[in-house]
Amino acid sequence: MSFRQFKSALRHCQFNTKGQDFTLAVFCAGAQVWASGRIMHAAIELAAFWAIAFLTLSAAVVLLNIFCNVIENDMELLSVGKEAIISGLASLIEALGAWLIVLFIPASLRPMGLRAMIVPLIIVGLIYRVAHLESWSIFEVGLLLAFQLAAGCLVATLISGHFLAAIMVVAVFGVMLAILASFAKNL
């Protein structure tokens, strides 16, 4: 993005807005220059976030089904196709949330900006609660999001090469599930 590109885009935008509003022309020029060099990378980032969210959410559904069978909870899943559609829609919402944070929040403020991910997580929880209205309680929805968080943390620590952290994620989550299972079996 050079000054020359911006100046050329500004001239084009001033011609299209007929010089009525210089602020609109500057905004238009900035958007054109940004889009010319960034739009494909943004689409690739969104697709990557969507793929990661879909894989972790699908793994979370499978792990939740296994866990509920172990504790003899009568949780029901829909057909594979319907669950894939629900996971695709829910993971798209999560991916859009993560993508918007990465796109608009500067790198130095992203740890604080990750608090905004609570909104997509609440929407995903509502989607799963409505899709499984008769058979799931809030317990299963919370467990689903916990399984997804654990799967995402495990994959992230393994990819980044922090194997001790990956072992800790598995150990801590395993202990928490064992405690939860012991309480759930006693009920």
Side-chain angles (χ1 to χ4, degrees):
M1 312 311 161
S2 68
F3 181 72
R4 182 173 290 155
Q5 288 176 323
F6 180 76
K7 192 174 175 183
S8 170
L10 181 62
R11 260 191 245 117
H12 176 72
C13 286
Q14 280 180 331
F15 177 74
N16 286 343
T17 58
K18 298 186 181 24
Q20 295 171 351
D21 190 4
F22 184 73
T23 308
L24 178 65
V26 169
F27 178 75
C28 175
Q32 282 183 355
V33 170
W34 177 81
S36 68
R38 176 87 175 136
I39 194 71
M40 186 49 106
H41 298 294
I44 291 171
E45 286 175 356
L46 178 61
F49 286 139
W50 192 7
I52 291 168
F54 182 74
L55 291 176
T56 57
L57 196 55
S58 298
V61 168
V62 170
L63 292 172
L64 178 65
N65 189 25
I66 292 169
F67 181 73
C68 285
N69 287 336
V70 167
I71 64 170
E72 298 170 356
N73 187 358
D74 49 342
M75 179 197 78
E76 295 178 13
L77 292 175
L78 302 174
S79 69
V80 175
K82 289 180 182 177
E83 288 293 335
I85 290 171
I86 295 167
S87 287
L89 177 66
S91 61
L92 177 63
I93 291 171
E94 288 178 340
L96 280 171
W99 180 67
L100 289 173
I101 288 171
V102 169
L103 191 65
F104 290 115
I105 296 179
S108 62
L109 299 176
R110 279 193 196 136
M112 290 189 309
L114 286 177
R115 292 182 294 179
M117 280 302 291
I118 192 71
V119 174
L121 289 178
I122 290 172
I123 294 171
V124 168
L126 287 173
I127 287 172
Y128 270 95
R129 182 70 175 112
V130 168
H132 301 92
L133 193 58
E134 297 170 356
S135 61
W136 284 26
S137 66
I138 197 70
F139 171 74
E140 282 90 1
V141 173
L143 267 178
L144 176 75
L145 295 176
F147 273 116
Q148 185 185 14
L149 179 68
C153 288
L154 180 66
V155 169
T157 54
L158 287 175
I159 288 175
S160 64
H162 298 293
F163 300 111
L164 184 60
I167 292 170
M168 290 301 295
V169 166
V170 170
V172 168
F173 195 68
V175 167
M176 290 172 57
L177 285 179
I179 292 170
L180 189 62
S182 69
F183 282 124
K185 281 198 169 196
N186 288 335
L187 295 177

